[in-house]
Amino acid sequence: MRKALHIQPDLEAVLSPPAAESKSSSIIPARALEYPELRYMGSKTRLLPWIFETLDKLDFESALDPFSGTGCVSYLMKAMGRRVVASDFLNFTSTVARATVENNRTHLDERALQGLLRGASAKRKFIEQTFSGVFYTPEDLRFLDRVSGNIRKLTDPHQQAIAYAALIRSCLKRQPRGVFTISGDLSRYDDGRRDLRLSVEEHFLEQVEVYNTTVFDNGRRNLALRSDLFELPRRKVDLVYLDPPYVPRSDDNCYVKRYHFLEGLSCYWEGMPVDASTKVKKIAKKFTPFSYRRTAVEAFDQMFSKFKSSKIVLSYSSNGFPDLEQLETLMRKYKDHVQVFEKPHRYHFGTHRSVARSSVIEYLLVGQ
Ligand SMILES: C[S@@+](CC[C@H](N)C(=O)[O-])C[C@H]1O[C@@H](n2cnc3c(N)ncnc32)[C@H](O)[C@@H]1O
């Protein structure tokens, strides 16, 4: 059996992979590093320079990022001048990508912003009624109801996406642990951070500006979709960047459990009924085969098969299941040449103890 090539970062310079050619610019575009960071499980924001080094050596004009999450890798590829399709099965993450990746021109101008802040009180009070005593202050909840009603009146989808992206980042910043699994008195997490002193409305005003700054035209028609990976219509792209969730050794990797509030907020919980019996007013989980040992191997196989006509770049980490060897074997079923790039990495997520546990080796498997 053919062995895949493993490349340590310091060896990358002397080995030239087969498709290492055109468009190499060697320096990561500055705007990719300025992408607004979201505290999001599995975000690759801090790995962008390393991911860039690998992508930059590959020949591609169009790219699909079907697990786009925060959108930072899609945005990197947009900044590299490629035509990008970003997709995720969550509504709030695809909305962020609509604001930053798909949107080439539209800003949320002062007039539109004033329209969002208008009105003394909201007509619909779902957020205040549902989340009082669970998350945020009563003023924050009232603001969320009011601004949500006004956002839905915006007719431009990209202005609407910017407003939602700003709201989502505001809510994440204002949530002491950046996840929505715990509720009530969270003052023990208050370490004096500015993010916890600002109201959601004050954050929102800042974040609209932040997302307006991300808008640029790379001369390509980029797209943001909301779709399960396996339901994505076939489209011809030169490269797919795959960053699925990992089956963790312990705990779970459920995105809805951690971010249900943002997912609901992104559509005012329409079609997403809350389970009133839960303490944090969760919505239903979404099934993904990448979360379970019994389904993950088959899911990787099907995924590689689906994208066999494109170059594949897979992000993976040493604490995931299946392990690297199995993934290489699966990828080699569809690709003649597989290279593995490695980088030690420490995830800053969760409590102090779990941070210690999250020292991993990050892999990029490149199949062509
Ligand atoms: C590891 S995260 C991606 C992180 C992203 N690359 C970033 O840097 O922010 C995995 C993403 O896959 C999405 N996801 C999980 N299962 C999915 C599926 N079956 N189809 C589409 N998206 C899925 C999750 O919502 C999550 O955003």
Side-chain angles (χ1 to χ4, degrees), residues 40-44 66-70 72-73 88-90 227-229 241 243-245 255 288:
Y40 189 69
M41 182 168 65
S43 165
K44 297 295 177 288
F67 301 97
S68 61
T70 63
C72 66
V73 180
D88 198 286
F89 75 172
L90 294 182
S227 172
D228 187 282
L229 172 88
Y241 168 74
D243 188 15
Y255 282 86
T288 180

Side-chain angles (χ1 to χ4, degrees), residues 35 38 40-45 48 51 65-74 87-90 92-93 227-232 241-246 253 255-256 286-291 315 347:
Y35 190 73
L38 287 178
Y40 189 69
M41 182 168 65
S43 165
K44 297 295 177 288
T45 309
L48 286 179
I51 293 173
D65 176 8
F67 301 97
S68 61
T70 63
C72 66
V73 180
S74 286
S87 179
D88 198 286
F89 75 172
L90 294 182
F92 84 93
T93 46
S227 172
D228 187 282
L229 172 88
F230 294 108
E231 283 159 21
L232 269 174
Y241 168 74
L242 300 172
D243 188 15
Y246 320 140
N253 63 6
Y255 282 86
V256 175
K286 277 179 91 70
F287 171 78
T288 180
F290 296 96
S291 289
S315 266
Y347 275 97

Side-chain angles (χ1 to χ4, degrees), residues 186-364:
L186 303 179
S187 54
R188 65 188 181 283
Y189 298 108
D190 189 346
D191 48 11
R193 264 174 284 167
R194 178 177 181 270
D195 277 356
L196 301 183
R197 289 202 308 273
L198 261 50
S199 68
V200 174
E201 180 165 1
E202 286 166 331
H203 274 296
F204 179 70
L205 293 175
E206 291 188 357
Q207 295 310 315
V208 166
E209 208 31 59
V210 166
Y211 280 98
N212 270 336
T213 309
T214 66
V215 179
F216 78 102
D217 188 351
N218 72 344
R220 305 288 183 125
R221 285 183 62 179
N222 309 295
L223 199 60
L225 302 171
R226 175 193 179 189
S227 172
D228 187 282
L229 172 88
F230 294 108
E231 283 159 21
L232 269 174
R234 281 191 193 279
R235 62 177 73 229
K236 208 185 148 347
V237 282
D238 301 330
L239 180 142
V240 282
Y241 168 74
L242 300 172
D243 188 15
Y246 320 140
V247 180
R249 296 258 159 86
S250 59
D251 203 359
D252 62 56
N253 63 6
C254 182
Y255 282 86
V256 175
K257 175 175 127 180
R258 287 170 178 78
Y259 305 109
H260 61 93
F261 185 84
L262 305 178
E263 185 65 355
L265 182 66
S266 69
C267 60
Y268 208 67
W269 284 264
E270 260 170 32
M272 295 182 190
V274 298
D275 178 350
S277 70
T278 58
K279 212 170 156 198
V280 291
K281 312 298 173 205
K282 282 192 272 198
I283 56 174
K285 280 186 182 184
K286 277 179 91 70
F287 171 78
T288 180
F290 296 96
S291 289
Y292 307 96
R293 277 182 173 253
R294 65 189 154 76
T295 47
V297 175
E298 176 61 25
F300 273 99
D301 196 358
Q302 276 182 28
M303 176 168 77
F304 292 154
S305 166
K306 183 173 170 102
F307 298 118
K308 62 178 182 238
S309 317
S310 307
K311 287 174 184 157
I312 296 179
V313 177
L314 173 77
S315 266
Y316 213 62
S317 110
S318 57
N319 61 354
F321 169 88
D323 64 17
L324 180 64
E325 210 183 318
Q326 226 176 337
L327 283 174
E328 284 177 16
T329 309
L330 285 174
M331 203 186 264
R332 261 184 271 123
K333 276 174 71 178
Y334 305 99
K335 293 289 168 192
D336 290 337
H337 189 89
V338 175
Q339 287 172 287
V340 182
F341 298 83
E342 301 183 0
K343 185 175 180 60
H345 183 62
R346 182 177 280 263
Y347 275 97
H348 297 274
F349 200 86
T351 60
H352 206 70
R353 262 179 57 226
S354 59
V355 166
R357 264 190 281 128
S358 63
S359 268
V360 295
I361 299 173
E362 283 292 320
Y363 300 119
L364 279 175

Side-chain angles (χ1 to χ4, degrees), residues 83-149:
R83 181 171 65 79
V84 181
V85 179
S87 179
D88 198 286
F89 75 172
L90 294 182
N91 192 53
F92 84 93
T93 46
S94 30
T95 304
V96 174
R98 185 160 311 112
T100 58
V101 179
E102 180 180 287
N103 177 16
N104 277 350
R105 289 191 193 91
T106 308
H107 293 85
L108 186 68
D109 55 32
E110 190 53 34
R111 207 164 140 246
L113 178 60
Q114 288 313 319
L116 294 182
L117 304 174
R118 192 175 299 143
S121 71
K123 285 204 184 81
R124 294 166 72 190
K125 300 181 191 293
F126 174 82
I127 302 179
E128 186 183 359
Q129 282 161 1
T130 310
F131 293 99
S132 282
V134 182
F135 303 125
Y136 306 118
T137 64
E139 296 75 38
D140 286 337
L141 296 176
R142 281 195 282 276
F143 169 72
L144 287 172
D145 272 319
R146 184 158 53 91
V147 79
S148 295

